Amino acid sequence: MFPMDAFLDALSLEPVGTDRYRATNLASDHGVVFGGQLLAQSVMAGLAGQDGKAVKTIHTVFARGASPDDPHDVVVERMHGGRSVASSTVTVSQGDLICTRSLVLLSADEPDVIRHADTPGTNARPDDVAAVRSVGAWEVGIVGGVDLNDPELVGPPELDVWIRFVGAPADPKTDQALVAYSTDGFLIGTAMRPHAGVGQAQAHRTLSTGVLSHTLTFHEPCPASEWHLLQQWSSYAGHGQSYGRGDIFRADGQLAASFVQDAMIRARSGGAGAL
């Protein structure tokens, strides 16, 4: 259970040199740092010293897991900095091993030349969710009461999830980092839904699962403290991997961000049977 202070502590990178930081971890039950945390910290590192700009796109490759028991190092390499666009590489390491590397594109706000945006594919509202699960400040409401952990519960490779971070400060950088945190958590389970005998409860037990790469693009501001909808679907799974996409809509229906993810889903020992 993570109070908001714990999230903010993890996002507060300690400077240890020019464009170099030390970061701590939220606790983990699986012996590995949640990838969404590393994604969120990479967002914060990319934004450091980039006043007047926001993250437009972050593309992250997850090379290996990070231990939650030890801090990690975050190094920013600035590739380009202009009036309207900037770009950096953000590398997260523990010891001599690289855990993630991200390409971060930043941009300043620009006036519209043209404008259009998709709208939500559901009329569900946060109040329609029967049960909201709280992980401290992180509140999660899955539309339709879908249980991703149940290996016998079969459905289409689609999932709608309402998210908010209670008590999150009204800060655009923190908003982007916390929204990024949530995008990492559901697409593997979404890919498993059509397949009987496979569920997220088996992850790290009979199944080896993990995110391989993740790309997130922001379109509009999205206050993390307010309800926003992750509308997700997996269009392919095979060869020990899955591919999924998602859109993030604010409660007012505005498309705020989009993301895609490649992940690993492999039998860990003796096949992917029930627990």
Side-chain angles (χ1 to χ4, degrees):
M1 301 292 287
F2 305 131
M4 181 48 59
D5 286 348
F7 282 104
L8 297 180
D9 286 346
L11 295 179
S12 298
L13 308 181
E14 177 190 358
V16 294
T18 303
D19 288 334
R20 303 181 68 91
Y21 306 91
R22 180 64 54 87
T24 57
N25 301 305
L26 296 165
S28 170
D29 294 331
H30 301 298
V32 64
V33 174
F34 176 51
Q37 177 203 298
L38 300 179
L39 188 64
Q41 290 170 327
S42 297
V43 166
M44 295 299 286
L47 286 166
Q50 298 284 2
D51 294 342
K53 295 185 178 68
V55 171
K56 179 58 179 175
T57 297
I58 178 169
H59 174 68
T60 302
V61 172
F62 292 81
R64 56 176 53 83
S67 168
D69 299 326
D70 301 306
H72 49 270
D73 297 310
V74 183
V75 177
V76 179
E77 180 183 355
R78 298 174 187 258
M79 296 191 294
H80 168 73
R83 180 189 62 80
S84 60
V85 175
S87 56
S88 295
T89 300
V90 178
T91 302
V92 176
S93 304
Q94 277 187 326
D96 296 327
L97 300 177
I98 293 175
C99 301
T100 69
R101 179 164 286 161
S102 303
L103 293 176
V104 184
L105 174 67
L106 304 107
S107 64
D109 192 25
E110 298 278 356
D112 291 341
V113 175
I114 59 173
R115 170 177 284 268
H116 69 266
D118 283 349
T119 56
T122 177
N123 293 322
R125 304 291 300 167
D127 292 343
D128 299 330
V129 176
V132 173
R133 179 171 60 93
S134 176
V135 187
W138 186 24
E139 291 191 345
V140 177
I142 298 180
V143 176
V146 175
D147 184 359
L148 293 177
N149 289 315
D150 187 347
E152 301 307 323
L153 186 62
V154 175
E158 303 170 353
L159 191 73
D160 294 342
V161 183
W162 285 102
I163 298 287
R164 71 175 174 181
F165 290 84
V166 177
D171 169 59
K173 295 180 181 180
T174 304
D175 286 335
Q176 288 199 306
L178 291 175
V179 169
Y181 180 96
S182 290
T183 62
D184 187 62
F186 303 98
L187 276 172
I188 292 176
T190 301
M192 293 177 174
R193 286 198 68 201
H195 307 282
V198 178
Q200 250 185 353
Q202 296 161 302
H204 311 294
R205 301 180 72 177
T206 61
L207 293 176
S208 291
T209 65
V211 176
L212 300 175
S213 71
H214 192 94
T215 300
L216 168 63
T217 296
F218 291 94
H219 309 304
E220 297 286 347
C222 186
S225 63
E226 299 177 8
W227 286 113
H228 48 282
L229 176 68
L230 275 64
Q231 196 158 59
Q232 302 156 109
W233 63 100
S234 172
S235 53
Y236 177 83
H239 299 287
Q241 296 182 15
S242 65
Y243 173 81
R245 294 174 284 173
D247 287 324
I248 303 174
F249 296 93
R250 298 190 312 226
D252 63 4
Q254 174 63 56
L255 179 65
S258 302
F259 57 100
V260 298
Q261 184 183 93
D262 288 286
M264 173 184 69
I265 304 175
R266 297 176 182 167
R268 188 168 184 174
S269 61
L275 293 173

